[in-house]
Amino acid sequence: MSATIVVGTQWGDEGKGKVIDVLSEGADVVVRYQGGNNAGHTIVVGAERFALTLIPSGVLYPNVTPVIGNGCVVDPAVLLGEMATLSERGIDPSRLRLSGNAHLIMPYHRKLDAVMERFLGRQQIGTTKRGIGPAYTDKYSRQGIRVQDLFDPKIFRSKLEVALKEKNKILTKIYNQMPMDLDPICDEYLEYADRLHEHVTDTSLLVWEAIRDGETVLFEGAQATLLDIDHGTYPFVTSSNPTAGGVGPGVGIGPTAIDRVVGVAKAYISRVGSGPFPTELDNPIGEKMVEIGGEFGTVTGRRRRCGWLDGVALRYAVRINGLTEIALTKLDVLSHFETLRVATAYDSLDHRHTEFPRQQRVLYNCHPVYDDLPGWNTDISGVTDYRDLPKQAQQYVEYVEELAGVPVTMVSVGPSRAATLVRG
Ligand code: GDP
Ligand code: IMO
Ligand code: MG
């Protein structure tokens, strides 16, 4: 009986999908509260691998009601495609519930995402080109089209007409693109309406009732703290609030409903796309992390940049999200390194930063101050009890715990459900 937020503490891909999957065994409702199909959450069950972009990871358990909250942006073709794929693989997605207040990703959002990135040239963000930024831009400029608009064809068409008139001006006059036609988009989306109708409900009420009735509710963060539009490394961020505070507006519940906030931290750190990265290893060590950790994007297949665990960023994530605990993932990947490093501060000119710097430029020019810890040089991927980990591996976990100031309650040593060590 609890309401738990699971949030990424780094730049994404920490293993949130796996952690949610493990916690979902005893859950009733699993809710996405922000982002869209820019997320890629991988779950390994036995010999099967599932890569979910929009549907909450809890869907794999028949006892869970998966919910897409109002704070998400939804590409209906992707959603229906993901549901169809799950069905083909024997997972019943019919329990999925979708907020009518969620905003739709439209074809012009995807187009704009691509051409705006091209326009930025070397300054590009390296987005997933799924239309996420332009869809949230329309939401906040109050030109967005919501899921509920699909169910009134006249309203939908008139909103689309207004939006498209403006978007076509931008596409043709600024970005030198062909205009888009109203009719095919309208027909395509109204067809989705029929297929989505049975899933749409008041998700805020659904979640509130679940919490009131003592059910176990998980909130599944996508992206992560350092990709947060307000608290991340702006402008190299996503366009939503993945941090724990995003759950309130993204679902429609109050902060008093939350009991636990679990921060997922990879035992090292990675980033896809552009932006500053103080502990990045642009060398054979980083290369080795990519190879051993399989650090290629789930959504775009891009190679992830890798580096040592950043304790400054981790403590920042503890503070920004009010973490009550940490789930430390991919510890097995570090088995292959002689000495492990963790950044505890950043040196910049004559100043040592022990807190995440308020001036973004520091992140580009600083030198991380490292603590060195001994590696364990032995495969730990088959370990099932924390006490059976080599002494140095336990030392690493306890060091992270000390640095973060909150307990590490879960240690992951492999992609599968079994490779999860729960600590008291
Ligand atoms: P998310 O976006 O935070 O859900 O993370 P991703 O799914 O994008 O990336 C994490 C990757 O690491 C996936 O391929 C997982 O299957 C895998 N993974 C998760 N936990 C572990 C672990 O403890 N060890 C290893 N070796 N792989 C893991
Ligand atoms: P999960 O949930 C890693 C990154 C993109 C880009 C920036 C903005 O799997 O951890 P966007 O398309 O959101 O406008 O791109 O954010 N990004 C992610 N990086 N994991 C993710 O999700 C990401 N979602 C977006 O690479 O740098
Ligand atoms: Mg991912």
Side-chain angles (χ1 to χ4, degrees):
M1 282 200 317
S2 66
T4 302
I5 302 173
V6 175
V7 66
T9 60
Q10 303 169 343
W11 280 290
D13 304 324
E14 298 90 351
K16 297 177 291 292
K18 163 165 177 173
V19 171
I20 285 280
D21 177 62
V22 168
L23 295 176
S24 289
E25 194 178 359
D28 300 292
V29 182
V30 181
V31 193
R32 279 277 306 267
Y33 57 94
Q34 48 69 234
N37 57 313
N38 47 347
H41 296 179
T42 316
I43 302 150
V44 176
V45 186
E48 291 217 68
R49 183 179 169 278
F50 297 87
L52 296 166
T53 66
L54 198 50
I55 298 182
S57 299
V59 71
L60 300 187
Y61 288 90
N63 50 296
V64 165
T65 302
V67 174
I68 299 177
N70 60 275
C72 296
V73 284
V74 176
D75 188 325
V78 173
L79 179 58
L80 289 163
E82 206 155 280
M83 288 165 74
T85 307
L86 285 171
S87 285
E88 281 161 22
R89 298 181 66 180
I91 309 287
D92 173 20
S94 67
R95 293 156 289 129
L96 180 79
R97 291 295 169 261
L98 169 64
S99 169
N101 287 358
H103 279 248
L104 292 169
I105 296 181
M106 305 298 293
Y108 44 82
H109 292 138
R110 289 193 298 268
K111 183 83 190 163
L112 280 168
D113 201 350
V115 294
M116 286 164 83
E117 279 283 273
R118 213 179 304 147
F119 182 79
L120 284 171
R122 288 188 54 204
Q123 260 81 52
Q124 68 172 233
I125 291 155
T127 72
T128 58
K129 298 199 177 74
R130 298 300 190 262
I132 306 296
Y136 276 113
T137 302
D138 273 1
K139 170 175 173 172
Y140 288 102
S141 67
R142 293 160 295 180
Q143 291 175 308
I145 304 180
R146 297 191 292 177
V147 168
Q148 60 180 287
D149 296 325
L150 287 172
F151 307 113
D152 190 327
K154 256 170 88 179
I155 288 187
F156 180 76
R157 192 181 171 89
S158 77
K159 286 194 174 183
L160 179 60
E161 207 166 356
V162 173
L164 202 55
K165 215 159 136 189
E166 191 227 12
K167 295 302 181 290
N168 275 339
K169 283 224 164 88
I170 297 172
L171 283 171
T172 54
K173 294 194 190 312
I174 301 179
Y175 295 109
N176 213 16
Q177 299 292 308
M178 298 290 284
M180 295 180 125
D181 291 333
L182 174 74
D183 284 334
I185 301 178
C186 197
D187 293 347
E188 179 192 336
Y189 274 66
L190 290 177
E191 198 232 318
Y192 298 143
D194 292 338
R195 293 155 68 193
L196 287 176
H197 192 258
E198 62 177 302
H199 299 281
V200 178
T201 190
D202 183 343
T203 50
S204 159
L205 181 63
L206 184 157
V207 171
W208 182 82
E209 283 176 346
I211 293 172
R212 181 200 61 191
D213 296 345
E215 294 184 1
T216 298
V217 181
L218 296 176
F219 298 96
E220 175 174 357
Q223 293 79 53
T225 306
L226 300 177
L227 288 173
D228 185 280
I229 186 88
D230 285 287
H231 304 290
T233 48
Y234 190 90
F236 303 104
V237 293
T238 193
S239 299
S240 65
N241 286 118
T243 45
V247 169
V251 179
I253 57 158
T256 46
I258 305 299
D259 306 298
R260 293 167 72 194
V261 187
V262 181
V264 186
K266 191 142 66 177
Y268 50 102
I269 192 164
S270 71
R271 165 160 220 176
V272 214
S274 324
F277 184 170
T279 63
E280 182 169 15
L281 294 166
D282 194 7
N283 62 20
I285 302 177
E287 199 68 46
K288 198 168 150 184
M289 286 174 176
V290 173
E291 269 165 42
I292 300 173
E295 296 295 349
F296 293 91
T298 314
V299 175
T300 57
R302 287 177 294 172
R303 185 181 183 284
R304 297 172 181 154
R305 302 153 64 192
C306 284
W308 295 119
L309 184 67
D310 185 336
V312 183
L314 183 60
R315 280 192 285 104
Y316 179 65
V318 172
R319 172 163 65 85
I320 294 289
N321 296 294
L323 297 187
T324 56
E325 59 208 91
I326 285 174
L328 191 67
T329 62
K330 298 188 103 161
L331 190 66
D332 54 307
V333 176
L334 293 187
S335 301
H336 305 268
F337 298 84
E338 203 69 39
T339 302
L340 311 173
R341 314 196 85 183
V342 179
T344 57
Y346 305 143
D347 272 349
S348 154
L349 297 173
D350 55 354
H351 188 73
R352 176 159 291 190
H353 298 264
T354 52
E355 293 294 336
F356 201 69
R358 63 191 160 83
Q359 273 289 345
Q360 175 103 349
R361 65 167 184 272
V362 172
L363 291 176
Y364 288 95
N365 305 322
C366 67
H367 298 283
V369 180
Y370 287 112
D371 270 354
D372 285 353
L373 289 97
W376 44 91
N377 286 310
T378 167
D379 182 14
I380 58 168
S381 57
V383 174
T384 52
D385 189 318
Y386 179 78
R387 288 163 300 187
D388 295 335
L389 281 176
K391 184 173 84 310
Q392 297 91 331
Q394 293 193 25
Q395 227 172 33
Y396 189 84
V397 174
E398 283 149 29
Y399 173 89
V400 170
E401 189 165 70
E402 179 87 6
L403 186 69
V406 293
V408 173
T409 52
M410 188 194 282
V411 178
S412 175
V413 292
S416 70
R417 283 176 181 167
T420 313
L421 319 178
V422 178
R423 294 176 78 218

